[in-house]
Amino acid sequence: MTGYGEESSSRSLLAQFQRYTEPVEGGEPITLQTVEVVGDAREGRALVAVGKGDFRVSKTPSTAELGVLEGFHKVEVDGLGQPATKMPAPVRWSTAFLDPSLRISREADGTVSVYSKVEPADTQAAIARLAETPVERTEEEEEVEDRPRWDRPSDRWGQTETGGDSDIP
């Protein structure tokens, strides 16, 4: 949902938690909070990504059935705000199953998600435990430059973007 686990092949989603609230008159328009614990093999640790935004229930254009549209106003990773250019696209989903303790949803692209109701204190404890989860480090694979030489940053005659090692005045 926050998109942080999808940014790099070295990251994988360990767990996701969502919380919906009623809008508060005169308060922040935040009615949706998604917390994701993401394992980062490059850094060898777990990161916590938090998306804050809102949701609305409406009929989906394709099926005319009720659905939910979720979008984020801000995303933080380990407490640091992310630039607006990194905001994930809104997600549209419909309920496949719902009862007081379980929700199964299907996104527009067919992705199925299962959520169970968890008490807030248990959620906080799970996030704290997962954030301390050791993540096995992996060596980053060297990127292979497949662009033609004329399309790469200039390194002609030892010059680089910083000017190279030439002592020619």
Side-chain angles (χ1 to χ4, degrees):
M1 298 285 305
T2 64
Y4 195 71
E6 299 166 359
E7 263 185 20
S8 167
S9 61
S10 69
R11 297 186 188 129
S12 59
L13 184 65
L14 301 177
Q16 180 189 71
F17 304 89
Q18 284 191 307
R19 178 177 169 230
Y20 297 91
T21 59
E22 292 289 329
V24 176
E25 192 171 323
E28 262 193 274
I30 305 298
T31 57
L32 165 67
Q33 182 170 324
T34 298
V35 177
E36 294 177 339
V37 182
V38 178
D40 190 323
R42 186 181 312 137
E43 292 192 30
R45 66 186 190 95
L47 307 166
V48 177
V50 179
K52 297 177 180 181
D54 58 7
F55 72 99
R56 68 178 167 177
V57 178
S58 61
K59 289 189 177 188
T60 58
S62 58
T63 64
E65 295 179 5
L66 278 181
V68 176
L69 180 67
E70 299 175 344
F72 295 124
H73 303 300
K74 56 184 167 180
V75 173
E76 299 171 354
V77 178
D78 280 351
L80 299 174
Q82 299 299 297
T85 57
K86 290 193 172 190
M87 290 302 116
V91 174
R92 184 177 298 280
W93 57 268
S94 58
T95 302
F97 176 82
L98 182 65
D99 77 7
S101 63
L102 185 70
R103 178 184 95 207
I104 301 174
S105 59
R106 182 174 291 113
E107 294 178 23
D109 68 0
T111 301
V112 175
S113 299
V114 178
Y115 296 91
S116 62
K117 187 172 184 175
V118 181
E119 293 299 318
D122 295 336
T123 301
Q124 292 294 334
I127 292 169
R129 180 179 48 78
L130 288 165
E132 297 300 320
T133 300
V135 176
E136 185 177 337
R137 288 182 85 93
T138 58
E139 294 297 319
E140 184 156 345
E141 294 180 24
E142 188 174 317
E143 289 187 31
V144 176
E145 181 63 75
D146 59 354
R147 294 183 294 177
R149 289 185 65 77
W150 58 265
D151 194 29
R152 297 180 191 175
S154 178
D155 64 355
R156 190 171 170 186
W157 298 301
Q159 294 179 343
T160 62
E161 294 172 316
T162 59
D165 295 337
S166 175
D167 53 354
I168 298 174

